[in-house]
Amino acid sequence: RTAFRWIWRLTYISALGVFVYIGYEIYQDRNPEPQVPRDPSKKTLVILGTGWGSVSLLKKLDTENYNVVVISPRNYFLFTPLLPSCTTGLIEHRSIMEPIRSICRSKKGHVTFYEAEASSVDVNRKIVKIRDNSDIRGDTIETEVPYDMLVVGVGAENATFGIPGVRENSCFLKEIGDAQQIRKKIMDCVETAAFKDQPQAEIDRLLHMVVVGGGPTGVEFAGELRDFFEDDIRKLIPDIADRFRVTLIEALPNVLPSFSKQLIEYTESTFKEEEISIHTKTMVKKVTDKTVEAEASKPDGTKERVVFPYGLLVWATGNTLRPLVRDLMASIPAQKDSRRGLAVNEYLVVQGARDIWAVGDCAVAGYAPTAQVASQEGTFLARLFNNMAKTAELEERIQTLSSSLNLKPGVDSASVSREIEDAERKLQRIKDIKPFHYSHQGSLAYIGSEKAVADVSWFNGNVASGGTMTYYFWRSAYLSMVFSTRNRLLVLNDWLKSKLFGRDISRE
Ligand code: FAD
Ligand code: NAI
């Protein structure tokens, strides 16, 4: 009984601690301290983008050391790992968005934000041209923003490889608008298939959901889609539920090429149980408004043309360069051999450019284009810039102390010399900043039916695991990583709501 009483007390104290912590965080968010105003004598640091790379930089940057200007067409940060869950309404889209204005307001030094797209960078004049595409005025406003230091974190676009019909007929899965479009389109297919006297072939087409690309985006989306039909549609519209099919098309011999062999096999067998059909070694060549045409390689080496009629097509075949990045690369001769993005050195400086750094999917630093890499790069740059500001401050201090030593009569030269030595030691420590080193924490992916796969680094080794326990690990890992306490509570609430009442299938 004593042990039970102690357990109860500890639980009570921990719960109280969590409540106090959450309450304090919310209070701080709602009542931010006054900010250090803009100081025109400081250097202007322009950050392009509000994604993983740029926001990680902003989060850790001592903004009082610079005039920070953030420019992005998106006035929020998006937690992409939970985006596939928004396509079915498991999670509401606003739960994984964090307004950039609250991130900027939480900083000690003032941060300026412009909702605009950077259209070009003039590396010689050190100017970024920006464009406001807002509908409110009916025209486009263009202006210039000068910079002393520039960080490019604009991410990447969806790759289509110029395959005919892809842009016109597919849905992508990169932004909130994409997830909303998919959510609407799924229900459009379902309601149209359930319409009176639909021909059987048309019902089969409408309820055939095709996903192209067997990378983590395609796999996670296929899993979420299957859950949606099994958990909700089957119960609410049982008469059409048996006709529902999901097909995943992948050009390579297997899905999830970046995961270990054991997890690839586990994913493929789980998809078989979930009746998601996988077509590997199948390369899509053309898309029309109702069909996907592909070329499948047969075991004997011959090729076969396959046609998949579809109701919904989701295209998830990876990344390509944004026009801004392509143009910037073309204006820097040292970038001429780079194909996949801005080539950067080990301090993330864009090669061949002065005072320009790049982070995330638009930078080529030798790592995969993931949120993990982008956020570590952003954090590294924040440390670098904080150190650079301290360096300038210390150098100035050493100079002032040295001149007082030489010129001012009556100064205690021993104590000034000690101060100079101390400042020089600090300066040396700061200047010794190590190059960027990526530390891989592992890869996680949801595969449907409350199962996930994880390749996790553990005590210098690698642990591969798949199943329901991994799914709980996946959920808790992402819940701990979402941007703010507000996001955390909203995501928890969405999961609970969907578990209790099912997903909301109304079409907006
Ligand atoms: P982004 O996060 O894409 O941000 C780019 C920013 O630049 C955006 O704010 C955009 O609006 C802005 N921008 C675009 N053009 C301009 C312009 N011209 N001027 C100014 N700003 C501009 N990675 C993981 O590690 N784990 C995961 O679980 C995971 N899940 C994912 C799930 C999905 C569905 C997707 C699509 C990706 C996922 N990723 C995941 C990959 C991860 O999201 C990206 O690698 C990451 O977002 C890259 O960060 P970034 O800062 O380079 O770009
Ligand atoms: P990807 O590049 O990882 O995969 C795209 C797949 O599409 C490839 O396997 C490719 O072979 C295939 N493909 C290309 N053209 C094709 C065609 N014509 N026909 C059929 N298949 C074709 O792209 P994805 O999944 O969008 O991921 C992009 C980045 O984001 C990756 O670095 C990925 O690791 C990361 N990401 C990570 C997630 C996670 O860790 N859970 C989730 C989503 C994305």
Side-chain angles (χ1 to χ4, degrees):
R1 279 186 60 183
T2 317
F4 180 74
R5 216 175 288 144
W6 271 107
I7 292 172
W8 167 243
R9 274 183 201 154
L10 281 175
T11 317
Y12 180 74
I13 291 167
S14 324
L16 200 67
V18 170
F19 272 116
V20 169
Y21 175 75
I22 292 176
Y24 179 67
E25 288 234 315
I26 294 172
Y27 176 81
Q28 269 200 324
D29 279 356
R30 300 286 291 148
N31 302 281
E33 308 230 317
Q35 282 183 304
V36 176
R38 211 174 162 268
D39 175 356
S41 69
K42 300 246 158 102
K43 283 189 173 175
T44 300
L45 167 61
V46 173
I47 302 173
L48 303 183
T50 45
W52 277 95
S54 304
V55 167
S56 305
L57 158 63
L58 193 57
K59 214 170 148 185
K60 290 276 161 34
L61 184 72
D62 296 336
T63 49
E64 62 277 24
N65 293 329
Y66 298 95
N67 275 315
V68 184
V69 181
V70 178
I71 298 163
S72 175
R74 203 172 79 185
N75 79 345
Y76 55 88
F77 166 75
L78 173 64
F79 187 79
T80 46
L82 290 178
L83 190 60
S85 302
C86 295
T87 59
T88 60
L90 178 72
I91 288 179
E92 291 299 335
H93 61 275
R94 286 197 178 269
S95 307
I96 56 166
M97 293 158 71
E98 183 67 17
I100 193 70
R101 293 280 178 188
S102 27
I103 301 173
C104 293
R105 186 59 189 85
S106 69
K107 300 301 298 181
K108 199 167 160 201
H110 175 80
V111 176
T112 306
F113 172 70
Y114 296 126
E115 191 189 72
E117 186 188 342
S119 48
S120 65
V121 177
D122 186 333
V123 290
N124 298 318
R125 289 171 59 219
K126 294 183 88 172
I127 273 172
V128 183
K129 283 200 178 144
I130 65 167
R131 198 166 43 206
D132 173 19
N133 294 328
S134 151
D135 294 334
I136 205 85
R137 270 172 54 115
D139 59 351
T140 302
I141 320 169
E142 259 190 302
T143 187
E144 293 181 343
V145 178
Y147 66 83
D148 296 304
M149 297 154 78
L150 174 69
V151 177
V152 186
V154 298
E157 275 192 359
N158 296 294
T160 62
F161 309 103
I163 297 170
V166 175
R167 287 233 174 263
E168 301 84 315
N169 300 299
S170 317
C171 293
F172 298 102
L173 185 49
K174 209 172 212 357
E175 298 290 345
I176 281 294
D178 299 333
Q180 286 173 306
Q181 192 193 3
I182 293 174
R183 189 172 172 185
K184 271 190 199 160
K185 214 157 175 194
I186 296 171
M187 284 321 296
D188 199 359
C189 287
V190 169
E191 295 297 3
T192 312
F195 189 69
K196 189 169 179 287
D197 301 334
Q198 278 288 5
Q200 295 301 314
E202 190 58 359
I203 296 177
D204 285 337
R205 180 185 74 79
L206 287 165
L207 294 182
H208 188 199
M209 315 273 147
V210 174
V211 184
V212 181
T217 305
V219 165
E220 290 196 326
F221 172 66
E224 293 279 356
L225 199 54
R226 189 73 221 172
D227 286 357
F228 181 35
F229 265 77
E230 287 308 311
D231 298 347
D232 298 298
I233 303 288
R234 183 174 287 286
K235 286 178 198 147
L236 297 170
I237 322 173
D239 27 330
I240 54 161
D242 286 338
R243 315 287 284 276
F244 176 75
R245 284 177 305 140
V246 182
T247 297
L248 182 65
I249 304 176
E250 167 56 52
L252 296 176
N254 54 265
V255 297
L256 292 182
S258 57
F259 281 69
S260 57
K261 191 166 173 281
Q262 174 195 345
L263 293 182
I264 291 171
E265 281 166 10
Y266 181 74
T267 304
E268 290 182 349
S269 73
T270 305
F271 271 20
K272 208 169 182 181
E273 283 166 24
E274 291 168 351
E275 293 174 356
I276 296 174
S277 55
I278 303 180
H279 291 254
T280 51
K281 294 191 190 166
T282 305
M283 172 85 85
V284 173
K285 298 281 184 187
K286 189 180 164 193
V287 171
T288 70
D289 59 344
K290 291 190 178 135
T291 58
V292 169
E293 295 175 24
E295 195 177 74
S297 302
K298 295 208 281 190
D300 62 5
T302 57
K303 306 249 192 251
E304 183 190 24
R305 184 172 166 268
V306 202
V307 177
F308 302 89
Y310 71 85
L312 170 78
L313 169 64
V314 172
W315 192 266
T317 62
N319 296 340
T320 190
L321 302 179
R322 287 200 190 275
L324 174 80
V325 175
R326 196 174 303 122
D327 294 348
L328 181 56
M329 286 164 68
S331 71
I332 306 170
Q335 295 283 331
K336 78 173 185 338
D337 295 327
S338 186
R339 294 278 163 272
R340 314 185 84 195
L342 289 158
V344 292
N345 71 11
E346 69 273 36
Y347 289 91
L348 307 181
V349 176
V350 172
Q351 286 176 6
R354 206 159 36 91
D355 300 324
I356 306 182
W357 289 259
V359 286
D361 286 3
C362 65
V364 178
Y367 307 107
T370 65
Q372 238 185 105
V373 171
S375 79
Q376 288 185 29
E377 288 177 342
T379 306
F380 169 83
L381 272 197
R383 204 150 33 90
L384 186 77
F385 293 165
N386 293 344
N387 277 359
M388 279 162 70
K390 275 189 216 144
T391 308
E393 207 177 279
L394 282 169
E395 277 171 349
E396 208 175 299
R397 180 157 174 71
I398 291 169
Q399 210 174 0
T400 317
L401 285 169
S402 307
S403 50
S404 76
L405 196 62
N406 295 336
L407 300 174
K408 289 188 189 155
V411 279
D412 174 1
S413 53
S415 96
V416 173
S417 302
R418 266 199 308 277
E419 264 192 73
I420 294 177
E421 271 171 34
D422 188 41
E424 275 173 343
R425 260 198 309 276
K426 275 190 194 152
L427 191 63
Q428 197 47 48
R429 263 205 311 274
I430 289 169
K431 279 188 168 170
D432 278 349
I433 185 161
K434 303 262 180 315
F436 174 69
H437 171 74
Y438 169 62
S439 150
H440 186 61
Q441 304 298 306
S443 307
L444 285 167
Y446 181 61
I447 57 170
S449 313
E450 304 204 337
K451 288 177 186 163
V453 287
D455 262 329
V456 188
S457 309
W458 201 271
F459 293 111
N460 292 334
N462 215 42
V463 179
S465 83
T468 305
M469 285 315 287
T470 315
Y471 161 73
Y472 289 117
F473 172 67
W474 173 84
R475 273 203 162 182
S476 46
Y478 283 165
L479 193 64
S480 70
M481 281 192 281
V482 287
F483 193 86
S484 60
T485 306
R486 186 186 71 94
N487 286 152
R488 210 160 290 134
L489 293 177
L490 290 176
V491 167
L492 259 179
N493 179 51
D494 288 344
W495 279 339
L496 190 67
K497 210 170 62 183
S498 304
K499 193 83 189 163
L500 290 178
F501 307 111
R503 296 164 182 84
D504 182 349
I505 67 162
S506 36
R507 188 155 74 92
E508 289 167 65

